[in-house]
Amino acid sequence: MYKKIDSGILQELEHIVGKKNLITERENMEDYGHDEIALSHMRNYPEVVLRPSTSKEISEILKLANKHLIPVVARGGGTGLAGGCVPVFGGIVISLEKMNKFLELDEENLMATMEAGVTLMKFHQTLQEKNLFFPPHPGEESATIGGIISTNAGGARAVKYGTVRNFVRSIEVVLPQGDIVKLGGKLLKDSSGYNLLHLMIGSEGTLGIVTKGTFSIMPIPKASLTLIIPFDDVSGALKSVPHILCSGILPLSIEFVSSELIIMTKEFLKKSWPVQVGNVYLLIILEGEDMEEVEKASMKVSEVCLSHKAIDVFVAESRDKQDEILEIRSKIYEALKSKTVEAIDIVLPRNQIEPHLKRLSEIEKEADMWLPTFGHAADGNLHTHISKFNLKGEYIEDWEKKYEDVRRAIHDDAIERGGKISGEHGIGFAKKEYLEIFTDKSLLQLMKGIKRTFDPNNILNPGKIFDLTQEKY
Amino acid sequence: MYKKIDSGILQELEHIVGKKNLITERENMEDYGHDEIALSHMRNYPEVVLRPSTSKEISEILKLANKHLIPVVARGGGTGLAGGCVPVFGGIVISLEKMNKFLELDEENLMATMEAGVTLMKFHQTLQEKNLFFPPHPGEESATIGGIISTNAGGARAVKYGTVRNFVRSIEVVLPQGDIVKLGGKLLKDSSGYNLLHLMIGSEGTLGIVTKGTFSIMPIPKASLTLIIPFDDVSGALKSVPHILCSGILPLSIEFVSSELIIMTKEFLKKSWPVQVGNVYLLIILEGEDMEEVEKASMKVSEVCLSHKAIDVFVAESRDKQDEILEIRSKIYEALKSKTVEAIDIVLPRNQIEPHLKRLSEIEKEADMWLPTFGHAADGNLHTHISKFNLKGEYIEDWEKKYEDVRRAIHDDAIERGGKISGEHGIGFAKKEYLEIFTDKSLLQLMKGIKRTFDPNNILNPGKIFDLTQEKY
């Protein structure tokens, strides 16, 4: 059904972006064929990589792609974990790397506008110089803002501030047929017709290519503390969480992680970790307008946790110490990467984490497969890593045979508990079978109908979220 | 194109909801034919009013309506200001008044679930008994939760907490063709396919009938203060706002209102108002975990305002005094109602309020029509009231001749400044021509395509947001 790109089309594309922004040599395309998921079948070469500099160029590319029926995939930082930017049908990859200008810092409206290729790191740094702050913090700072909008990225701070969705005020999008449109505005309220902005957020590049974004920002909170609270077991740790939140304290983040994973990560990073006791930690970040306020909150949190069998409470106050703890937490994924295949991303009602962990431990034993798990204790988003090792730490030669059953069992339990397949990574290519299985049929039909409305030729990121290439379109 | 309801259909409907929940007598239908908008053409009688008790009954009604091509409009509290629930094509009005059960208060997950007909007042009261709190506060407490979801209602607290959208976790919806589906879950993150929950929020009952809602809730903040800050003119008042927000203080609400409107409202309510100086007030509510924290914030706010020519700062500390101030503020609309025709609902970037007010004052003079205006100074949502009186306070006999020009001029200026037609009331019937005029053509086509996907027979709340009855469907 899709056409191959021939030399005539290539010439037209070169005319749009210029020779130096068009890549066709396989050896230079390696980086554009995959994201961070470790599964070997989740990669594919595009026929051509384009690096446009303007929305106008992207619009022209999409018009051409519609004319010739060529699939197009937009690519940001390539830090996804669901294969969302993999060009599974070949065709064109549009890399947004050259559209990386920070356009405006509007302090009166507390909003920042930038091109889609700006990285989170650049966004954070630019704000920091002005004592400003973008609350959502998806772990990987080389992600681009186009990517975090397209996946509705979350991160550890969602418990206080919500996901990226809550901060996106406006985007520029190139629609599949080439129209360049603006959704939203520098506005905090909007009830003017169907909210296409919120539909576009999290649609993983299947309904349009995000080319600019305007976000709400805030002054940096003036004081913060990081607490490490060790427990003997995960049960006490998790039971503390609703009590913390009901006490009126809303931490910036509440994470749980085993001491096993922390030890592994600190050794991987050659760093030190201040706490030697306990099997499970709660890591809690508190922030506020002054140290007194934060210390009061810290006392309350400590009280709650100690009454739920916390062994102790360690408080990190200096910026350096807090950053070191945060670094170890955020690099667990990297430390695990060589041993694991996929990071699961299920999200549950908060009070279902504990029973789900019990089920996980059963699955782990039944399959004799190590399933290291950590996650966001307050927002219910859990990252279980499917590994290639058994519980004794030995490599499983035939891990691929067990992989699908283990993966399915984890998702089955999450859905049964009122959860969903993806909290923050998206469906992409990796989880689309599960979306079909676990979604009400009439809702799936509506999603597919929306896709048809936006993209009648199914040229934009086809085969992601669901695969319509086999259906009547 | 739509069919009239004959005695056979009426019998089928009676079979679904029972005789006592079916109204056909005109004298008993009066209340079901309009909302709170004062324009006389924004009302119409339905052919029948139904009061179902379950989602199943609503599903059966919709299936019948599709079979016979009968328009259906869902109705909550009827407190809308855009004619959204008016049965403009006759047909069926489904009133959700009997679906008013508070279903669950889940303190572990901090979420509350109720049927769509529960009023905001009942919601607030139920929470208050447990020291819990639903932050969004659309002024009118007889609104129902189905209504506030369907309009993405806002209110004065959006500056701190955002609109209702930020708090909706899950809804049950009866889709136009009768499927009963659940969107979302007790989840704080979700990136599992297109976000139909967020599409449904604010779709004004045109894509489905909301029958249940689950919301995030919070512990009640333990301390609060209300500040009244008088200024000689609106300019200083508005200039203070970004400086307050940049100082790191995020008030629960920041409203501006003229002393003229406050005096009128306090006389209407026969209440007293503690401040005798100034022509314009900022009303600011601060909340926090203890009085010390709130008082510190109050000092900072005062400092900022006094440096921007505030005349003084009045602080209300007692619950009673704070409630009295809030009541006067929230009854301005009621005090104005007999003199005005329509409450405009434009929303602007915060820094555009002041220049827009300048333009408003020109429009007021050019038309010699009193245009009382107040609104949410921090979120840019302004309510100008188009009145039937001139600037001398005399009744304008031919106000209808001036009405459309004045209305258009206000909206033109808002759009020019990067604003939108509706911040929180919705488009409904009253503003659909403006949505057509002021929305990018390709976005309008997408909205209409979405409507067609959800509601192929165009039976659900037709003629709202846009009118597709004249278009090829």
Side-chain angles (χ1 to χ4, degrees):
Chain A
M1 37 154 300
Y2 293 118
K3 302 260 169 63
K4 288 285 156 199
I5 298 176
D6 60 24
S7 60
I9 297 173
L10 220 48
Q11 225 163 20
E12 289 185 79
L13 291 171
E14 189 180 309
H15 186 73
I16 297 170
V17 295
K19 197 181 172 81
K20 68 177 199 304
N21 295 314
L22 179 147
I23 306 172
T24 50
E25 310 79 25
R26 282 241 154 170
E27 63 273 25
N28 298 329
M29 286 203 289
E30 175 61 34
D31 284 350
Y32 297 94
H34 63 90
D35 65 2
E36 291 292 312
I37 197 167
L39 289 160
S40 57
H41 66 281
M42 301 267 173
R43 45 174 68 218
N44 195 35
Y45 283 99
E47 293 158 61
V48 61
V49 174
L50 305 175
R51 302 185 302 165
S53 302
T54 65
S55 308
K56 185 79 176 33
E57 289 178 10
I58 294 178
S59 162
E60 286 173 36
I61 296 166
L62 289 177
K63 284 177 188 165
L64 203 71
N66 271 289
K67 195 171 95 185
H68 298 295
L69 286 183
I70 294 164
V72 178
V73 182
R75 180 184 181 87
T79 61
L81 291 163
C85 67
V86 178
V88 290
F89 292 98
I92 298 169
V93 161
I94 293 182
S95 168
L96 288 134
E97 64 200 272
K98 298 194 77 178
M99 293 176 67
N100 63 353
K101 282 189 278 304
F102 198 101
L103 298 172
E104 190 199 30
L105 195 57
D106 175 348
E107 296 190 58
E108 268 187 313
N109 290 307
L110 281 174
M111 290 187 197
T113 301
M114 61 216 85
E115 289 185 322
V118 168
T119 62
L120 258 183
M121 188 178 298
K122 181 169 170 178
F123 186 10
H124 284 304
Q125 281 169 353
T126 310
L127 292 185
Q128 207 157 18
E129 286 161 19
K130 296 270 185 181
N131 268 316
L132 292 166
F133 169 61
F134 175 62
H137 194 268
E140 178 52 59
E141 295 208 336
S142 53
T144 59
I145 69 113
I148 66 169
I149 292 169
S150 297
T151 54
N152 183 26
R157 297 177 187 164
V159 54
K160 177 153 188 177
Y161 290 108
T163 58
V164 163
R165 179 183 299 287
N166 287 12
F167 290 82
V168 182
R169 298 274 77 86
S170 169
I171 56 179
E172 181 187 82
V173 184
V174 187
L175 294 173
Q177 296 186 291
D179 290 312
I180 302 171
V181 294
K182 186 183 154 191
L183 300 175
K186 284 186 178 175
L187 307 171
L188 296 175
K189 289 175 170 175
D190 186 5
S191 290
S192 308
Y194 298 160
N195 202 306
L196 302 180
L197 172 63
H198 277 281
L199 178 62
M200 198 61 78
I201 295 169
S203 64
E204 305 188 41
T206 64
L207 299 180
I209 297 179
V210 175
T211 46
K212 280 180 201 162
T214 298
F215 298 89
S216 277
I217 54 176
M218 296 172 65
I220 294 185
K222 296 184 185 62
S224 76
L225 282 178
T226 298
L227 313 183
I228 306 177
I229 309 178
F231 292 81
D232 278 330
D233 59 52
V234 75
S235 167
L238 292 175
K239 282 205 169 65
S240 307
V241 175
H243 293 276
I244 294 169
L245 297 169
C246 284
S247 77
I249 307 294
L250 191 49
L252 183 61
S253 74
I254 309 184
E255 304 279 295
F256 80 93
V257 61
S258 67
S259 58
E260 176 194 27
L261 289 178
I262 289 291
I263 291 167
M264 196 189 75
T265 311
K266 78 167 183 170
E267 283 168 4
F268 172 80
L269 294 172
K270 301 191 173 35
K271 299 262 177 184
S272 68
W273 182 256
V275 183
Q276 316 308 330
V277 293
N279 296 309
V280 176
Y281 307 123
L282 282 186
L283 308 182
I284 298 180
I285 305 178
L286 298 165
E287 41 142 50
E289 269 312 281
D290 56 42
M291 206 30 106
E292 208 186 318
E293 184 189 328
V294 179
E295 272 164 2
K296 267 192 218 162
S298 162
M299 302 255 286
K300 270 201 208 173
V301 169
S302 303
E303 229 170 77
V304 170
C305 291
L306 291 168
S307 77
H308 286 86
K309 301 194 185 160
I311 301 170
D312 205 341
V313 175
F314 293 80
V315 182
E317 197 168 322
S318 75
R319 195 62 270 161
D320 284 356
K321 201 69 216 166
Q322 293 195 65
D323 285 347
E324 196 172 271
I325 294 167
L326 186 66
E327 195 193 348
I328 293 174
R329 160 62 186 87
S330 61
K331 290 290 163 67
I332 298 173
Y333 170 71
E334 221 166 285
L336 273 173
K337 206 173 164 188
S338 66
K339 298 183 177 173
T340 57
V341 187
E342 189 188 359
I344 304 296
D345 180 40
I346 59 137
V347 60
L348 296 162
R350 185 154 64 219
N351 68 351
Q352 297 300 309
I353 303 179
E354 199 188 340
H356 178 71
L357 289 176
K358 285 209 180 101
R359 176 71 190 120
L360 264 182
S361 140
E362 285 170 23
I363 297 170
E364 203 172 33
K365 281 180 202 128
E366 281 160 21
D368 192 21
M369 186 181 244
W370 183 48
L371 299 174
T373 299
F374 57 98
H376 312 302
D379 66 36
N381 185 202
L382 250 61
H383 301 305
T384 295
H385 288 244
I386 300 187
S387 82
K388 301 177 203 165
F389 291 81
N390 69 20
L391 290 169
K392 285 191 209 123
E394 300 155 344
Y395 184 78
I396 310 172
E397 291 294 340
D398 58 346
W399 64 265
E400 276 177 272
K401 282 191 193 151
K402 297 181 174 187
Y403 167 67
E404 190 47 45
D405 284 350
V406 166
R407 190 177 187 242
R408 177 65 191 259
I410 297 168
H411 286 87
D412 277 340
D413 188 67
I415 299 292
E416 227 166 82
R417 298 185 186 287
K420 292 236 186 178
I421 309 163
S422 173
E424 56 187 15
H425 298 165
I427 299 301
F429 186 66
K431 285 160 193 157
K432 65 181 200 287
E433 290 88 351
Y434 283 0
L435 192 80
E436 289 271 352
I437 294 169
F438 294 122
T439 308
D440 186 294
K441 290 290 158 284
S442 50
L443 296 181
L444 261 182
Q445 283 316 311
L446 291 177
M447 289 186 200
K448 291 175 180 177
I450 289 170
K451 170 69 174 172
R452 290 183 178 100
T453 300
F454 277 70
D455 184 14
N457 294 317
N458 196 24
I459 57 137
L460 199 56
N461 208 3
K464 305 303 169 55
I465 303 182
F466 30 68
D467 190 351
L468 292 180
T469 56
Q470 306 304 316
E471 298 186 24
K472 191 173 164 290
Y473 203 73
Chain B
M1 37 153 302
Y2 294 118
K3 302 259 168 63
K4 287 285 156 199
I5 298 176
D6 61 25
S7 61
I9 297 172
L10 219 48
Q11 225 164 19
E12 290 185 78
L13 291 171
E14 188 179 309
H15 186 74
I16 297 170
V17 295
K19 197 182 171 82
K20 68 179 198 305
N21 295 314
L22 179 146
I23 305 171
T24 50
E25 310 79 26
R26 282 240 154 169
E27 62 272 27
N28 298 328
M29 287 203 289
E30 174 62 33
D31 284 349
Y32 298 94
H34 63 90
D35 65 2
E36 291 291 313
I37 198 167
L39 289 161
S40 56
H41 66 281
M42 301 266 173
R43 44 175 68 218
N44 194 35
Y45 283 99
E47 292 159 62
V48 60
V49 174
L50 305 175
R51 302 185 303 164
S53 301
T54 65
S55 308
K56 185 78 176 35
E57 289 177 9
I58 294 178
S59 162
E60 286 172 36
I61 297 165
L62 290 178
K63 283 177 188 164
L64 203 72
N66 272 288
K67 196 170 94 183
H68 298 295
L69 287 183
I70 295 164
V72 178
V73 182
R75 181 185 179 85
T79 60
L81 292 163
C85 66
V86 177
V88 288
F89 291 98
I92 298 169
V93 160
I94 293 182
S95 169
L96 288 134
E97 64 200 273
K98 298 193 77 178
M99 294 177 66
N100 62 354
K101 284 190 278 303
F102 197 101
L103 299 171
E104 191 199 28
L105 194 57
D106 176 349
E107 296 191 57
E108 269 187 312
N109 291 308
L110 282 175
M111 291 186 196
T113 302
M114 61 216 83
E115 289 184 322
V118 167
T119 61
L120 257 184
M121 190 178 296
K122 181 169 169 178
F123 186 11
H124 284 304
Q125 281 169 353
T126 310
L127 292 184
Q128 206 158 18
E129 286 161 19
K130 298 270 184 181
N131 268 316
L132 292 165
F133 170 62
F134 174 63
H137 195 267
E140 179 51 58
E141 293 209 336
S142 54
T144 59
I145 70 113
I148 66 170
I149 293 170
S150 297
T151 53
N152 184 26
R157 298 178 187 163
V159 52
K160 177 154 188 176
Y161 290 109
T163 58
V164 163
R165 178 183 299 286
N166 287 12
F167 289 82
V168 181
R169 299 272 77 84
S170 169
I171 56 179
E172 182 187 81
V173 184
V174 187
L175 294 173
Q177 296 186 290
D179 291 313
I180 302 172
V181 295
K182 186 182 154 191
L183 300 174
K186 284 185 178 175
L187 307 171
L188 296 176
K189 288 175 171 175
D190 186 4
S191 290
S192 308
Y194 298 160
N195 203 307
L196 301 181
L197 172 63
H198 277 282
L199 178 62
M200 198 61 77
I201 296 169
S203 64
E204 305 188 41
T206 64
L207 300 180
I209 297 180
V210 175
T211 47
K212 280 180 201 161
T214 298
F215 298 89
S216 279
I217 53 177
M218 295 171 67
I220 295 185
K222 297 183 184 64
S224 75
L225 283 178
T226 298
L227 314 183
I228 305 177
I229 310 177
F231 292 80
D232 278 328
D233 60 53
V234 76
S235 167
L238 292 175
K239 283 206 170 63
S240 306
V241 175
H243 292 276
I244 295 169
L245 297 169
C246 284
S247 77
I249 306 292
L250 192 50
L252 183 62
S253 73
I254 308 183
E255 304 279 296
F256 80 92
V257 60
S258 67
S259 57
E260 175 194 28
L261 288 179
I262 288 291
I263 291 166
M264 194 189 76
T265 311
K266 79 167 183 169
E267 283 168 5
F268 172 79
L269 295 172
K270 302 191 173 35
K271 300 261 177 185
S272 67
W273 181 257
V275 182
Q276 317 308 331
V277 292
N279 296 309
V280 176
Y281 307 122
L282 282 187
L283 308 182
I284 297 181
I285 306 178
L286 298 166
E287 41 141 50
E289 268 313 281
D290 57 40
M291 205 30 108
E292 208 186 318
E293 185 189 327
V294 179
E295 273 165 0
K296 265 192 219 164
S298 160
M299 302 253 287
K300 270 202 206 172
V301 169
S302 303
E303 228 171 78
V304 170
C305 290
L306 291 168
S307 78
H308 286 86
K309 300 192 187 164
I311 301 170
D312 205 341
V313 176
F314 293 80
V315 182
E317 197 167 323
S318 76
R319 194 63 270 160
D320 284 356
K321 201 70 217 166
Q322 292 194 64
D323 285 348
E324 195 173 271
I325 293 166
L326 187 65
E327 196 194 346
I328 294 174
R329 160 60 186 87
S330 59
K331 292 288 164 66
I332 298 173
Y333 170 71
E334 222 166 284
L336 274 173
K337 207 173 160 186
S338 66
K339 299 184 176 171
T340 57
V341 187
E342 189 187 358
I344 303 297
D345 180 39
I346 58 136
V347 59
L348 296 162
R350 186 153 64 219
N351 67 351
Q352 296 300 309
I353 302 178
E354 200 189 340
H356 177 71
L357 289 176
K358 285 210 180 100
R359 175 71 189 119
L360 264 181
S361 138
E362 287 170 22
I363 298 171
E364 203 172 33
K365 280 179 203 129
E366 282 159 22
D368 192 21
M369 185 181 247
W370 184 48
L371 300 173
T373 298
F374 57 99
H376 313 302
D379 65 37
N381 185 203
L382 249 62
H383 300 304
T384 294
H385 289 245
I386 299 187
S387 81
K388 302 177 204 163
F389 291 81
N390 67 20
L391 289 170
K392 284 191 210 126
E394 301 155 344
Y395 184 78
I396 309 173
E397 291 295 340
D398 57 347
W399 64 265
E400 275 176 277
K401 281 192 194 154
K402 298 182 175 186
Y403 167 66
E404 191 44 46
D405 283 350
V406 166
R407 191 177 186 242
R408 177 64 191 260
I410 297 169
H411 286 87
D412 277 341
D413 188 68
I415 299 293
E416 226 166 84
R417 299 184 185 286
K420 292 236 187 180
I421 308 162
S422 174
E424 55 187 15
H425 298 166
I427 299 301
F429 186 66
K431 285 159 194 159
K432 65 181 200 287
E433 290 88 351
Y434 283 181
L435 193 79
E436 290 270 351
I437 294 170
F438 293 122
T439 308
D440 185 293
K441 289 290 159 284
S442 50
L443 296 181
L444 260 182
Q445 283 316 311
L446 291 176
M447 289 188 200
K448 291 175 180 177
I450 290 170
K451 170 70 174 172
R452 291 182 177 100
T453 300
F454 277 71
D455 184 13
N457 295 317
N458 196 22
I459 58 138
L460 200 55
N461 209 4
K464 305 301 167 57
I465 302 182
F466 29 69
D467 190 351
L468 292 180
T469 58
Q470 305 306 314
E471 296 188 26
K472 191 172 163 288
Y473 203 72

